[in-house]
Coordinates of all heavy atoms in Angstrom, one line a residue:
P1 N 83.3 126.2 76.7 CA 83.4 125.9 75.3 C 84.0 127.1 74.4 O 83.7 128.2 74.8 CB 82.0 125.6 74.8 CG 81.2 125.4 76.0 CD 81.9 126.1 77.1
E2 N 84.6 126.8 73.4 CA 85.3 127.8 72.5 C 84.2 128.8 72.0 O 84.6 130.0 72.0 CB 86.0 127.1 71.4 CG 86.8 128.1 70.6 CD 87.6 127.3 69.5 OE1 87.8 126.1 69.6 OE2 88.1 128.0 68.6
Q3 N 83.1 128.4 71.6 CA 82.2 129.4 71.0 C 81.7 130.4 72.1 O 81.5 131.5 71.8 CB 80.8 128.6 70.6 CG 81.0 127.8 69.3 CD 81.5 126.4 69.7 OE1 81.7 126.0 70.9 NE2 81.5 125.4 68.8
V4 N 81.5 130.0 73.3 CA 81.1 130.9 74.4 C 82.3 131.9 74.7 O 82.1 133.0 74.8 CB 80.7 130.1 75.7 CG1 80.6 131.1 76.9 CG2 79.5 129.3 75.4
R5 N 83.5 131.3 74.7 CA 84.7 132.2 74.9 C 84.8 133.3 73.7 O 85.1 134.5 74.0 CB 86.0 131.3 75.0 CG 87.1 132.1 75.5 CD 88.3 131.1 75.8 NE 88.6 130.2 74.7 CZ 88.5 128.9 74.8 NH1 88.2 128.3 75.9 NH2 88.9 128.1 73.8
D6 N 84.6 132.8 72.5 CA 84.6 133.8 71.4 C 83.5 134.8 71.5 O 83.8 136.0 71.2 CB 84.5 133.0 70.1 CG 85.7 132.2 69.7 OD1 86.8 132.4 70.3 OD2 85.6 131.3 68.8
L7 N 82.3 134.4 71.9 CA 81.2 135.4 72.1 C 81.6 136.4 73.1 O 81.3 137.6 73.0 CB 79.9 134.6 72.3 CG 78.7 135.6 72.6 CD1 78.5 136.3 71.3 CD2 77.5 134.7 72.9
L8 N 82.0 136.0 74.3 CA 82.5 136.9 75.4 C 83.5 137.8 75.0 O 83.5 139.0 75.3 CB 82.9 136.1 76.6 CG 81.7 135.3 77.3 CD1 82.3 134.4 78.4 CD2 80.7 136.2 77.8
F9 N 84.5 137.4 74.2 CA 85.6 138.2 73.6 C 84.9 139.3 72.7 O 85.3 140.5 72.9 CB 86.6 137.4 72.9 CG 87.6 138.2 72.1 CD1 88.6 138.9 72.8 CD2 87.5 138.4 70.7 CE1 89.5 139.6 72.1 CE2 88.4 139.1 70.0 CZ 89.4 139.8 70.7
Q10 N 84.0 138.9 71.8 CA 83.4 139.9 70.9 C 82.6 141.0 71.7 O 82.7 142.1 71.4 CB 82.4 139.2 69.9 CG 83.2 138.3 68.9 CD 82.2 137.6 68.1 OE1 81.0 137.8 68.0 NE2 82.7 136.6 67.4
I11 N 81.9 140.6 72.7 CA 81.2 141.5 73.6 C 82.1 142.5 74.3 O 81.8 143.6 74.3 CB 80.2 140.7 74.6 CG1 79.1 140.0 73.8 CG2 79.7 141.7 75.6 CD1 78.4 139.0 74.6
R12 N 83.1 141.9 74.8 CA 84.1 142.8 75.5 C 84.8 143.8 74.5 O 84.8 144.9 74.9 CB 85.2 141.9 76.1 CG 86.2 142.7 77.0 CD 87.1 141.7 77.7 NE 88.1 142.5 78.6 CZ 89.1 142.1 79.1 NH1 89.5 140.8 78.9 NH2 89.9 142.8 79.8
V13 N 85.1 143.3 73.3 CA 85.7 144.2 72.4 C 84.7 145.3 72.0 O 85.1 146.5 72.0 CB 86.2 143.4 71.1 CG1 86.5 144.4 70.0 CG2 87.4 142.6 71.4
K14 N 83.5 145.0 71.8 CA 82.5 146.0 71.4 C 82.2 147.0 72.5 O 82.1 148.2 72.2 CB 81.1 145.3 71.0 CG 81.1 144.6 69.7 CD 79.8 144.0 69.4 CE 79.9 143.2 68.1 NZ 78.7 142.7 67.6
L15 N 82.2 146.5 73.7 CA 82.0 147.5 74.8 C 83.1 148.5 75.0 O 83.0 149.6 75.2 CB 81.7 146.7 76.1 CG 80.3 146.0 76.2 CD1 80.3 145.1 77.4 CD2 79.2 147.0 76.2
L16 N 84.4 147.9 75.0 CA 85.6 148.7 75.1 C 85.7 149.6 73.9 O 86.1 150.8 74.1 CB 86.8 147.8 75.1 CG 87.0 147.1 76.5 CD1 88.2 146.1 76.4 CD2 87.3 148.2 77.6
A17 N 85.4 149.2 72.7 CA 85.6 150.0 71.5 C 84.6 151.2 71.6 O 85.0 152.3 71.3 CB 85.2 149.2 70.2
E18 N 83.3 151.0 72.0 CA 82.4 152.0 72.2 C 82.9 153.1 73.2 O 82.8 154.2 72.9 CB 81.1 151.4 72.6 CG 80.0 152.5 72.8 CD 78.6 151.8 73.1 OE1 78.3 150.8 72.7 OE2 77.9 152.5 73.8
K19 N 83.4 152.6 74.3 CA 83.9 153.5 75.4 C 85.1 154.3 74.9 O 85.3 155.5 75.3 CB 84.3 152.7 76.7 CG 84.7 153.5 77.8 CD 84.9 152.7 79.0 CE 85.2 153.5 80.2 NZ 85.5 152.8 81.4
A20 N 85.9 153.7 74.0 CA 87.1 154.4 73.5 C 86.8 155.2 72.3 O 87.7 155.9 71.8 CB 88.2 153.3 73.1
G21 N 85.6 155.3 71.7 CA 85.3 156.1 70.7 C 85.7 155.4 69.3 O 85.8 156.1 68.3
V22 N 85.9 154.1 69.3 CA 86.3 153.4 68.1 C 85.0 153.0 67.4 O 84.1 152.4 68.0 CB 87.2 152.2 68.4 CG1 87.4 151.3 67.2 CG2 88.4 152.5 69.1
Q23 N 84.8 153.5 66.2 CA 83.6 153.2 65.4 C 83.6 151.9 64.7 O 82.6 151.2 64.6 CB 83.5 154.3 64.4 CG 82.2 154.4 63.7 CD 82.0 155.7 62.9 OE1 83.0 156.1 62.2 NE2 80.8 156.2 62.7
Q24 N 84.8 151.5 64.2 CA 84.9 150.2 63.5 C 86.2 149.5 63.8 O 87.2 150.2 64.0 CB 84.9 150.4 61.9 CG 83.6 150.9 61.4 CD 83.8 151.1 59.8 OE1 84.8 151.6 59.4 NE2 82.8 150.6 59.2
I25 N 86.2 148.1 63.8 CA 87.4 147.4 63.8 C 87.4 146.4 62.6 O 86.4 145.6 62.6 CB 87.6 146.6 65.1 CG1 87.6 147.6 66.4 CG2 88.8 145.8 65.1 CD1 87.6 147.0 67.7
L26 N 88.2 146.6 61.7 CA 88.2 145.8 60.5 C 89.6 145.1 60.2 O 90.6 145.7 60.4 CB 87.9 146.7 59.3 CG 86.7 147.6 59.4 CD1 86.6 148.6 58.3 CD2 85.4 146.6 59.2
P27 N 89.5 143.8 59.7 CA 90.8 143.2 59.3 C 91.2 143.7 57.9 O 90.4 143.9 57.1 CB 90.4 141.7 59.3 CG 88.9 141.7 59.0 CD 88.4 143.0 59.7
E28 N 92.5 144.0 57.8 CA 93.0 144.4 56.5 C 94.5 144.1 56.5 O 95.3 144.6 57.2 CB 92.8 145.9 56.4 CG 93.2 146.6 55.1 CD 93.0 148.0 55.2 OE1 91.8 148.5 55.2 OE2 93.9 148.8 55.1
N29 N 94.8 143.2 55.5 CA 96.3 142.8 55.3 C 97.0 142.5 56.6 O 98.0 143.0 56.9 CB 97.0 144.0 54.6 CG 96.5 144.4 53.3 OD1 96.0 143.5 52.6 ND2 96.4 145.6 52.9
R30 N 96.5 141.5 57.3 CA 97.1 140.9 58.5 C 97.3 142.0 59.6 O 98.1 142.0 60.5 CB 98.5 140.3 58.3 CG 98.5 139.3 57.2 CD 98.5 137.8 57.6 NE 99.3 137.5 58.8 CZ 98.8 136.7 59.8 NH1 97.6 136.2 59.7 NH2 99.6 136.4 60.8
Q31 N 96.4 143.0 59.6 CA 96.2 144.0 60.6 C 94.8 144.2 61.0 O 93.9 143.9 60.2 CB 96.8 145.4 60.1 CG 98.2 145.3 59.7 CD 98.6 146.7 59.1 OE1 97.8 147.5 58.7 NE2 99.9 146.9 59.0
L32 N 94.6 144.8 62.2 CA 93.3 145.2 62.6 C 93.3 146.7 62.5 O 94.2 147.3 63.0 CB 93.0 144.8 64.0 CG 92.6 143.3 64.2 CD1 92.4 143.0 65.7 CD2 91.5 142.8 63.4
V33 N 92.4 147.3 61.8 CA 92.3 148.8 61.7 C 91.2 149.2 62.6 O 90.0 148.8 62.4 CB 92.0 149.1 60.2 CG1 91.9 150.7 60.1 CG2 93.1 148.6 59.2
L34 N 91.6 150.0 63.5 CA 90.6 150.7 64.5 C 90.3 152.1 64.0 O 91.1 152.9 64.1 CB 91.2 150.6 65.9 CG 91.3 149.4 66.6 CD1 92.5 148.5 66.0 CD2 91.6 149.6 68.1
R35 N 89.1 152.2 63.5 CA 88.7 153.6 63.0 C 87.8 154.4 64.1 O 87.0 153.7 64.6 CB 87.9 153.4 61.7 CG 88.7 152.8 60.6 CD 88.1 153.1 59.3 NE 88.7 152.3 58.2 CZ 89.9 152.6 57.7 NH1 90.6 153.6 58.1 NH2 90.4 151.8 56.8
F36 N 88.3 155.6 64.3 CA 87.6 156.4 65.2 C 86.4 157.2 64.5 O 86.5 157.6 63.4 CB 88.5 157.4 65.9 CG 89.5 156.7 66.7 CD1 90.7 156.1 66.2 CD2 89.3 156.6 68.1 CE1 91.5 155.5 67.0 CE2 90.2 156.0 68.9 CZ 91.3 155.4 68.4
A37 N 85.4 157.5 65.3 CA 84.3 158.3 64.9 C 84.9 159.8 64.8 O 85.7 160.1 65.5 CB 83.2 158.3 65.8
P38 N 84.4 160.5 63.7 CA 84.9 161.9 63.5 C 84.6 162.7 64.8 O 83.6 162.7 65.4 CB 84.1 162.5 62.4 CG 83.6 161.2 61.6 CD 83.4 160.1 62.7
G39 N 85.7 163.4 65.3 CA 85.6 164.3 66.5 C 85.7 163.6 67.8 O 85.5 164.2 68.8
E40 N 86.0 162.3 67.8 CA 86.1 161.6 69.1 C 87.4 162.0 69.7 O 88.4 162.2 69.2 CB 86.1 160.1 68.8 CG 84.7 159.5 68.6 CD 83.8 159.6 69.8 OE1 84.2 159.5 70.9 OE2 82.6 159.9 69.6
E41 N 87.3 162.0 71.1 CA 88.5 162.1 71.9 C 89.3 160.9 71.8 O 88.8 159.8 71.5 CB 88.1 162.5 73.3 CG 87.4 163.8 73.6 CD 88.2 165.0 73.1 OE1 89.4 165.0 73.5 OE2 87.7 165.8 72.5
G42 N 90.6 161.0 72.2 CA 91.4 159.8 72.2 C 91.9 159.3 70.8 O 92.1 158.2 70.6
R43 N 91.8 160.3 69.9 CA 92.2 159.9 68.5 C 93.6 159.5 68.5 O 94.5 160.0 69.3 CB 91.8 161.1 67.6 CG 90.4 161.3 67.5 CD 90.0 162.2 66.5 NE 90.5 161.8 65.2 CZ 89.9 162.3 64.1 NH1 88.9 163.1 64.2 NH2 90.4 161.9 63.0
P44 N 94.1 158.8 67.5 CA 95.5 158.3 67.5 C 96.5 159.4 67.5 O 97.6 159.2 68.1 CB 95.6 157.5 66.3 CG 94.3 157.6 65.6 CD 93.3 158.2 66.5
E45 N 96.3 160.5 66.9 CA 97.2 161.6 66.9 C 97.6 162.1 68.2 O 98.6 162.7 68.5 CB 96.8 162.7 66.0 CG 96.5 162.3 64.6 CD 95.1 161.8 64.4 OE1 94.2 162.0 65.2 OE2 94.9 161.2 63.4
S46 N 96.7 161.9 69.3 CA 96.9 162.4 70.6 C 97.9 161.6 71.4 O 98.3 162.1 72.4 CB 95.6 162.4 71.4 OG 95.2 161.2 71.6
K47 N 98.4 160.5 70.9 CA 99.4 159.7 71.6 C 100.6 159.6 70.8 O 100.5 159.3 69.5 CB 98.9 158.3 72.0 CG 97.8 158.3 73.0 CD 98.4 158.2 74.4 CE 97.3 157.9 75.4 NZ 97.8 157.6 76.7
A48 N 101.8 159.8 71.4 CA 103.0 159.7 70.5 C 103.4 158.2 70.2 O 103.9 158.0 69.1 CB 104.1 160.4 71.2
Y49 N 103.1 157.4 71.1 CA 103.6 156.0 71.0 C 102.7 155.0 71.6 O 102.4 155.0 72.8 CB 105.0 155.9 71.6 CG 105.7 154.5 71.4 CD1 106.1 154.2 70.1 CD2 105.8 153.6 72.4 CE1 106.7 152.9 69.9 CE2 106.4 152.4 72.2 CZ 106.8 152.1 70.9 OH 107.4 150.8 70.7
W50 N 102.2 154.1 70.8 CA 101.3 153.0 71.2 C 102.0 151.6 71.4 O 101.4 150.7 71.9 CB 100.1 152.9 70.3 CG 99.2 154.0 70.3 CD1 99.2 155.0 69.4 CD2 98.2 154.4 71.3 NE1 98.2 156.0 69.8 CE2 97.6 155.6 70.9 CE3 97.8 153.7 72.5 CZ2 96.6 156.2 71.6 CZ3 96.8 154.4 73.2 CH2 96.3 155.5 72.7
G51 N 103.1 151.6 70.9 CA 103.9 150.3 70.9 C 104.3 150.0 69.4 O 103.8 150.5 68.5
R52 N 105.3 149.1 69.3 CA 105.9 148.9 68.0 C 105.0 148.1 67.1 O 105.2 148.1 65.8 CB 107.2 148.3 68.1 CG 107.2 146.9 68.7 CD 108.5 146.3 69.0 NE 108.3 145.1 69.7 CZ 109.1 144.4 70.2 NH1 110.4 144.7 70.2 NH2 108.8 143.3 70.9
D53 N 103.9 147.5 67.7 CA 103.0 146.8 66.8 C 101.8 147.5 66.4 O 100.8 147.1 65.7 CB 102.5 145.5 67.5 CG 101.8 145.7 68.8 OD1 102.0 146.9 69.4 OD2 101.2 144.8 69.4
V54 N 101.8 148.9 66.7 CA 100.7 149.7 66.4 C 101.2 151.0 65.6 O 102.1 151.6 66.0 CB 100.0 150.3 67.7 CG1 98.8 151.3 67.4 CG2 99.4 149.1 68.5
R55 N 100.5 151.2 64.5 CA 100.8 152.3 63.7 C 99.7 153.3 63.6 O 98.5 153.0 63.3 CB 101.1 151.9 62.2 CG 102.4 151.2 62.1 CD 102.8 150.9 60.6 NE 102.1 151.5 59.6 CZ 101.4 151.0 58.6 NH1 101.4 149.6 58.5 NH2 100.7 151.6 57.7
P56 N 99.9 154.6 64.2 CA 98.8 155.5 64.1 C 98.7 156.2 62.7 O 99.7 156.3 62.0 CB 99.3 156.6 65.1 CG 100.8 156.5 65.1 CD 101.1 155.0 64.8
G57 N 97.5 156.6 62.4 CA 97.2 157.3 61.1 C 96.0 158.2 61.4 O 95.6 158.3 62.5
K58 N 95.7 158.9 60.4 CA 94.6 159.9 60.5 C 93.3 159.2 60.8 O 92.7 158.5 60.0 CB 94.4 160.7 59.3 CG 93.5 161.8 59.5 CD 93.5 162.8 58.3 CE 92.5 163.9 58.6 NZ 92.6 165.1 57.8
G59 N 92.8 159.4 62.1 CA 91.6 158.7 62.5 C 91.5 157.3 62.7 O 90.5 156.7 62.8
A60 N 92.7 156.7 62.8 CA 92.7 155.1 62.8 C 94.1 154.8 63.4 O 95.1 155.5 63.5 CB 92.6 154.6 61.5
L61 N 94.0 153.5 64.0 CA 95.2 152.8 64.5 C 95.2 151.5 63.8 O 94.2 150.9 63.5 CB 95.2 152.6 66.0 CG 95.4 153.8 66.9 CD1 95.1 153.3 68.4 CD2 96.7 154.4 66.8
R62 N 96.5 151.0 63.4 CA 96.6 149.7 62.8 C 97.4 148.9 63.7 O 98.5 149.2 64.1 CB 97.3 149.9 61.5 CG 96.5 150.6 60.4 CD 97.3 150.8 59.1 NE 96.5 151.4 58.2 CZ 95.6 150.8 57.3 NH1 95.5 149.4 57.4 NH2 94.9 151.4 56.5
L63 N 96.8 147.8 64.1 CA 97.4 146.8 65.0 C 97.8 145.6 64.3 O 97.0 144.9 63.6 CB 96.4 146.4 66.1 CG 96.8 145.3 67.1 CD1 98.1 145.6 67.8 CD2 95.7 144.9 68.0
A64 N 99.1 145.2 64.3 CA 99.6 143.9 63.6 C 98.9 142.8 64.2 O 98.8 142.6 65.4 CB 101.1 143.9 63.6
M65 N 98.6 141.8 63.4 CA 97.9 140.5 63.8 C 98.9 139.3 63.8 O 98.4 138.3 63.7 CB 96.6 140.3 63.0 CG 95.5 141.2 63.3 SD 94.1 140.9 62.2 CE 93.8 139.1 62.3
G66 N 100.1 139.6 63.8 CA 101.1 138.4 63.7 C 101.0 137.5 64.9 O 100.5 137.9 66.0
G67 N 101.5 136.3 64.7 CA 101.5 135.3 65.9 C 100.2 134.6 66.0 O 99.3 134.6 65.2
E68 N 100.0 134.1 67.2 CA 98.9 133.2 67.6 C 97.7 134.2 67.8 O 97.8 135.3 68.3 CB 99.2 132.5 68.9 CG 100.2 131.4 68.7 CD 99.8 130.3 67.7 OE1 98.7 129.9 67.8 OE2 100.6 129.9 66.9
P69 N 96.5 133.6 67.5 CA 95.3 134.5 67.8 C 95.1 135.0 69.3 O 94.7 136.1 69.5 CB 94.1 133.5 67.5 CG 94.7 132.5 66.5 CD 96.2 132.4 66.9
E70 N 95.6 134.1 70.2 CA 95.4 134.6 71.6 C 96.3 135.8 71.9 O 95.9 136.7 72.7 CB 95.9 133.4 72.6 CG 94.7 132.5 72.8 CD 93.5 133.0 73.3 OE1 93.4 133.9 74.3 OE2 92.4 132.7 72.8
A71 N 97.5 135.9 71.3 CA 98.4 137.0 71.4 C 97.8 138.3 70.9 O 97.8 139.3 71.6 CB 99.7 136.7 70.8
W72 N 97.3 138.3 69.7 CA 96.8 139.6 69.2 C 95.4 139.9 69.7 O 95.1 141.1 70.0 CB 96.7 139.7 67.6 CG 95.8 138.7 67.0 CD1 96.2 137.5 66.2 CD2 94.4 138.8 66.8 NE1 95.1 136.9 65.7 CE2 94.0 137.7 66.0 CE3 93.4 139.7 67.1 CZ2 92.7 137.5 65.6 CZ3 92.1 139.5 66.8 CH2 91.8 138.5 66.1
R73 N 94.7 138.9 70.2 CA 93.4 139.2 70.9 C 93.7 139.9 72.2 O 93.0 140.9 72.6 CB 92.6 137.9 71.2 CG 91.9 137.4 70.0 CD 91.2 136.1 70.4 NE 90.4 135.7 69.4 CZ 89.3 135.0 69.5 NH1 88.9 134.6 70.8 NH2 88.5 134.7 68.5
E74 N 94.7 139.4 73.0 CA 95.1 140.1 74.2 C 95.6 141.5 74.0 O 95.3 142.4 74.7 CB 96.1 139.2 75.0 CG 96.5 139.8 76.3 CD 95.3 139.9 77.3 OE1 94.4 139.1 77.3 OE2 95.3 141.0 78.0
R75 N 96.4 141.6 72.9 CA 97.0 142.9 72.6 C 95.8 143.9 72.2 O 95.9 145.1 72.5 CB 98.0 142.8 71.4 CG 98.6 144.1 71.1 CD 99.4 144.7 72.2 NE 100.1 145.9 71.8 CZ 99.8 147.1 72.3 NH1 99.0 147.3 73.2 NH2 100.5 148.2 71.8
L76 N 94.8 143.4 71.5 CA 93.7 144.3 71.1 C 93.0 144.8 72.4 O 92.6 146.0 72.5 CB 92.7 143.5 70.2 CG 91.4 144.2 69.8 CD1 91.7 145.6 69.1 CD2 90.5 143.3 69.0
I77 N 92.7 143.9 73.3 CA 92.1 144.3 74.6 C 92.9 145.3 75.4 O 92.4 146.3 75.8 CB 91.9 143.0 75.4 CG1 90.8 142.1 74.8 CG2 91.3 143.4 76.9 CD1 89.4 142.6 74.7
Q78 N 94.3 145.1 75.4 CA 95.2 146.0 76.1 C 95.1 147.4 75.4 O 94.9 148.4 76.1 CB 96.6 145.6 76.0 CG 96.9 144.4 76.9 CD 98.2 143.8 76.7 OE1 98.9 144.3 75.8 NE2 98.7 143.0 77.6
L79 N 95.1 147.4 74.1 CA 95.0 148.7 73.3 C 93.7 149.4 73.6 O 93.6 150.6 73.8 CB 95.2 148.4 71.8 CG 95.3 149.6 71.0 CD1 96.3 150.7 71.3 CD2 95.5 149.2 69.5
L80 N 92.6 148.6 73.5 CA 91.3 149.3 73.8 C 91.1 149.7 75.2 O 90.5 150.8 75.4 CB 90.1 148.3 73.4 CG 90.0 148.0 71.9 CD1 89.0 146.8 71.7 CD2 89.4 149.2 71.2
D81 N 91.7 149.0 76.2 CA 91.7 149.4 77.6 C 92.4 150.7 77.7 O 91.9 151.7 78.3 CB 92.3 148.4 78.5 CG 91.4 147.3 78.9 OD1 90.2 147.5 78.9 OD2 91.9 146.2 79.2
S82 N 93.5 150.8 77.0 CA 94.3 152.1 77.1 C 93.6 153.2 76.5 O 93.5 154.4 77.0 CB 95.6 151.9 76.4 OG 96.4 153.0 76.4
L83 N 93.0 153.0 75.3 CA 92.2 154.0 74.6 C 91.0 154.5 75.4 O 90.6 155.7 75.4 CB 91.7 153.6 73.2 CG 92.8 153.4 72.1 CD1 92.2 152.6 71.0 CD2 93.2 154.8 71.7
A84 N 90.3 153.6 76.1 CA 89.2 153.9 76.9 C 89.5 154.5 78.2 O 88.7 154.9 79.0 CB 88.4 152.6 77.1
G85 N 90.9 154.5 78.6 CA 91.3 155.1 79.8 C 91.2 154.1 81.0 O 91.2 154.5 82.2
D86 N 91.1 152.8 80.7 CA 91.0 151.7 81.7 C 92.2 150.9 81.7 O 92.1 149.7 81.6 CB 89.8 150.9 81.5 CG 88.5 151.6 81.7 OD1 88.5 152.6 82.4 OD2 87.5 151.2 81.2
E87 N 93.4 151.4 81.6 CA 94.7 150.6 81.4 C 94.7 149.5 82.4 O 94.4 149.7 83.6 CB 95.8 151.5 81.5 CG 95.9 152.5 80.3 CD 97.2 153.2 80.1 OE1 98.3 152.5 80.4 OE2 97.2 154.3 79.8
V88 N 95.1 148.3 81.9 CA 95.2 147.1 82.8 C 96.6 147.1 83.2 O 97.6 147.4 82.5 CB 95.0 145.9 81.8 CG1 94.4 144.8 82.7 CG2 94.2 146.1 80.7
A89 N 96.8 146.7 84.4 CA 98.1 146.6 85.1 C 98.8 145.3 84.6 O 98.3 144.3 84.3 CB 98.0 146.6 86.6

């Protein structure tokens, strides 16, 4: 069922975010803002390029939410995997 799938997605995001040092994920102007805890490793400044749909800023990354929900959900998981050091093939 859709509710179970959504719940599993939320749990996966929370676990990956914690592992990646992401303190908050908030929607803002058709973007998801991933805010890092102060002093966390893997801050956005440490990577030169995350992809054209990701904009780094001080202590945060902004992921565009354009398109279908499944597309940006998958992209969020990929980004969190990368930040956590568990890049998916």
Side-chain angles (χ1 to χ4, degrees):
E2 188 175 343
Q3 293 91 353
V4 173
R5 194 171 48 244
D6 289 345
L7 180 60
L8 292 174
F9 171 76
Q10 290 175 16
I11 291 169
R12 186 173 181 196
V13 167
K14 285 182 183 188
L15 291 173
L16 285 171
E18 183 177 326
K19 187 173 182 182
V22 174
Q23 190 173 34
Q24 292 179 314
I25 301 175
L26 304 167
E28 184 179 294
N29 299 325
R30 306 260 322 134
Q31 298 177 343
L32 289 177
V33 180
L34 287 72
R35 297 201 189 283
F36 291 84
E40 282 294 323
E41 295 298 317
R43 297 185 57 156
E45 300 86 20
S46 68
K47 290 271 190 173
Y49 184 70
W50 291 102
R52 60 183 178 192
D53 59 345
V54 178
R55 289 188 11 235
K58 186 171 180 167
L61 289 175
R62 293 179 176 272
L63 172 64
M65 288 176 48
E68 295 295 317
E70 281 303 312
W72 66 257
R73 283 179 170 210
E74 184 58 36
R75 182 64 177 113
L76 175 60
I77 294 295
Q78 290 172 349
L79 182 59
L80 289 171
D81 277 335
S82 179
L83 288 166
D86 294 339
E87 293 192 38
V88 210

